[in-house]
Amino acid sequence: MCKQSIYNCIFYRMCSAFRSYKRLSGQSKGTKLTWIPAQCAQQPGSLDCGYYVMRFMYDIIMNHGNSQDLTKDFSRTLPYSPEEINEVKDFWADYFMNNVEFLA
């Protein structure tokens, strides 16, 4: 495990992978990564954290697959509405009820 913060470990490894990719493809070493921090909805409490993660993943897949402006698309910081969280709960409950065998 990296002895630095997890952010620094990820940053170092991503930069290293990018440099290796550029080198293997014969491109110059002068290009550096431009890091843009992604934003996501900030939850007001601590009970729905898993649903916030699932909702964020859902939004990425459903709404940002062909994104042209990641800064704009990932700039939301307002909490999800109860309806948005309930939508994820309903998706999960429906999946669970239809795909998991129950032991009687």
Side-chain angles (χ1 to χ4, degrees):
M1 180 84 184
C2 189
K3 293 181 182 178
Q4 304 166 339
S5 72
I6 190 68
Y7 173 81
N8 287 336
C9 288
I10 293 170
F11 177 83
Y12 172 77
R13 290 186 176 141
M14 288 297 296
C15 287
S16 178
F18 183 70
R19 281 191 306 271
S20 296
Y21 170 78
K22 298 284 277 182
R23 198 174 317 117
L24 289 172
S25 64
Q27 298 177 21
S28 70
K29 297 190 319 187
T31 308
K32 292 187 177 185
L33 287 177
T34 301
W35 289 87
I36 301 171
Q39 298 291 320
C40 62
Q42 302 296 306
Q43 68 187 63
S46 62
L47 297 178
D48 288 330
C49 58
Y51 294 116
Y52 263 71
V53 171
M54 287 191 283
R55 181 64 203 208
F56 188 58
M57 291 187 303
Y58 173 81
D59 286 346
I60 291 169
I61 293 167
M62 298 304 289
N63 303 323
H64 306 298
N66 297 320
S67 179
Q68 298 298 312
D69 186 354
L70 294 177
T71 305
K72 179 181 155 218
D73 289 347
F74 292 100
S75 62
R76 177 185 179 154
T77 57
L78 294 174
Y80 288 121
S81 69
E83 293 79 20
E84 290 172 306
I85 295 298
N86 286 338
E87 186 177 17
V88 170
K89 292 177 180 179
D90 290 343
F91 285 148
W92 176 243
D94 183 57
Y95 175 82
F96 187 77
M97 294 300 291
N98 291 315
N99 295 294
V100 175
E101 291 185 34
F102 291 97
L103 299 175

